[in-house]
Amino acid sequence: CSGGSGSDGMMMTGLWAVAQTLLQLFILLALAPVMAWALAELPRWINGEAICGPQRQMRRAIRFWGVVLRQPVAPRLALVLAISLLIFVVLPAVTTGGAFVSLANPLLIGLLLLAGRLMLGVPQQREEWRRVLPAVLVLCLTEALIALAAPGADGLGGLCAMLHIEPAPGLEGALGACALALAISCPPLREDDMIQRLDGEKSRQVREMSRNVAEVLNMAWLLLLADLAMPITVGLGGSDVTGWFVGLGGLLGRLALVVVVLIGLRLTAQERSERLTALFAGVALLLALAGRFAT
């Protein structure tokens, strides 16, 4: 009987992990158009312009997913969309109890997202590589700092759980500085960026689908930045439903903070600043080393 009850408990734990992952996926997909609206419209509102709510973005997202479910998608767009959805189910956005959270390696996830960014449309290669290469270096630094300060962590999920047990202010500050360096070097794609990338595309449907895929990819990038910036706010996997909602509140707070920072960088014209990227990368290294030697 004890063996049977243990098996049932493991099955329930597995089902709860899958349920959390699917619920997280749907929540992030619903948030993607809202985040796209916030990044596009809130800077205009701060500058005193009249704006509308996110209803248009929501309707466009609903139409997009209707088309995706009914019709085949261009291979390149399908691959970028698959990368984004994979990130949604892998990152410990709400809690560390997701079914695939053990795969949340920040370097691998970041490289996949940057590859997806390069596959969207036809970017200006020189300009785009100026954004992507610094981001790759910061991602490598992030991976090295985690290995240095938390050698036993199993990806971002294990790191979040470890920080709940034994807080490490030096590492948390270093990860926040890395997230800021990534936000500066490689901000989310804007509407102007997509117009340039799709300049030679004659199909209206492909252009529209590309913009929607870019919104989903941007959401995955925001999620990575949010999880790196404040990993301590990710909920623990062994918690109940109440703990899951606490983790959801932490996710919304992290995303709001990331949006505020990105808008601030845009309004102050500090996006894509190589000097600031190098500065915050250096700050991250100093904080991680200081925290390591302090222990």
Side-chain angles (χ1 to χ4, degrees):
C1 293
S2 59
S5 61
S7 176
D8 291 342
M10 291 179 61
M11 181 178 296
M12 291 301 297
T13 301
L15 290 175
W16 174 231
V18 172
Q20 289 182 83
T21 300
L22 292 177
L23 191 54
Q24 174 174 299
L25 173 63
F26 291 132
I27 289 173
L28 293 173
L29 289 177
L31 285 174
V34 178
M35 295 295 105
W37 168 83
L39 290 174
E41 299 297 328
L42 289 184
R44 296 176 52 205
W45 176 74
I46 293 173
N47 286 326
E49 300 180 38
I51 63 172
C52 298
Q55 296 87 347
R56 182 173 66 87
Q57 283 84 354
M58 296 292 291
R59 289 194 295 268
R60 190 174 68 181
I62 292 172
R63 289 197 303 270
F64 165 70
W65 287 110
V67 171
V68 168
L69 294 175
R70 293 195 310 267
Q71 302 176 11
V73 182
R76 182 180 295 185
L77 292 180
L79 182 56
V80 178
L81 191 59
I83 289 173
S84 304
L85 296 180
L86 176 65
I87 305 309
F88 284 173
V89 300
V90 163
L91 281 174
V94 180
T95 75
T96 60
F100 307 106
V101 74
S102 61
L103 303 176
N105 180 278
L107 176 59
L108 178 58
I109 288 173
L111 291 178
L112 285 174
L113 290 174
L114 293 176
R117 182 185 177 105
L118 291 173
M119 286 188 288
L120 269 180
V122 183
Q124 296 180 352
Q125 295 295 333
R126 183 177 180 181
E127 183 67 22
E128 191 62 24
W129 280 110
R130 284 183 61 190
R131 305 174 191 176
V132 168
L133 285 179
V136 171
L137 295 177
V138 175
L139 287 168
C140 293
L141 174 63
T142 304
E143 186 74 11
L145 294 181
I146 293 175
L148 173 68
D154 183 16
L156 271 177
L159 177 64
C160 295
M162 184 180 295
L163 290 175
H164 276 283
I165 300 171
E166 186 179 355
L171 177 58
E172 294 174 46
L175 291 177
C178 286
L180 188 53
L182 288 172
I184 295 170
S185 64
C186 201
L189 291 167
R190 300 187 194 176
E191 180 67 21
D192 293 343
D193 296 325
M194 293 308 298
I195 290 175
Q196 292 179 356
R197 288 164 176 257
L198 300 173
D199 185 44
E201 180 58 57
K202 297 181 180 179
S203 171
R204 180 180 177 183
Q205 183 180 8
V206 172
R207 291 199 304 270
E208 187 70 16
M209 292 196 71
S210 298
R211 291 189 178 94
N212 282 281
V213 171
E215 288 185 1
V216 181
L217 183 71
N218 282 342
M219 181 65 200
W221 184 247
L222 291 179
L223 185 61
L224 174 61
L225 296 181
D227 282 2
L228 282 176
M230 298 183 69
I232 193 65
T233 61
V234 175
L236 285 175
S239 58
D240 55 9
V241 176
T242 303
W244 190 90
F245 279 105
V246 172
L248 177 61
L251 168 65
L252 297 177
R254 293 197 308 279
L255 288 175
L257 177 62
V258 170
V259 168
V260 168
V261 170
L262 288 170
I263 291 174
L265 291 172
R266 181 179 302 182
L267 293 176
T268 56
Q270 296 301 318
E271 287 182 331
R272 302 157 190 165
S273 169
E274 296 176 358
R275 291 183 179 180
L276 273 183
T277 301
L279 172 64
F280 282 105
V283 169
L285 181 59
L286 290 176
L287 288 173
L289 290 175
R292 180 67 173 173
F293 289 125
T295 56

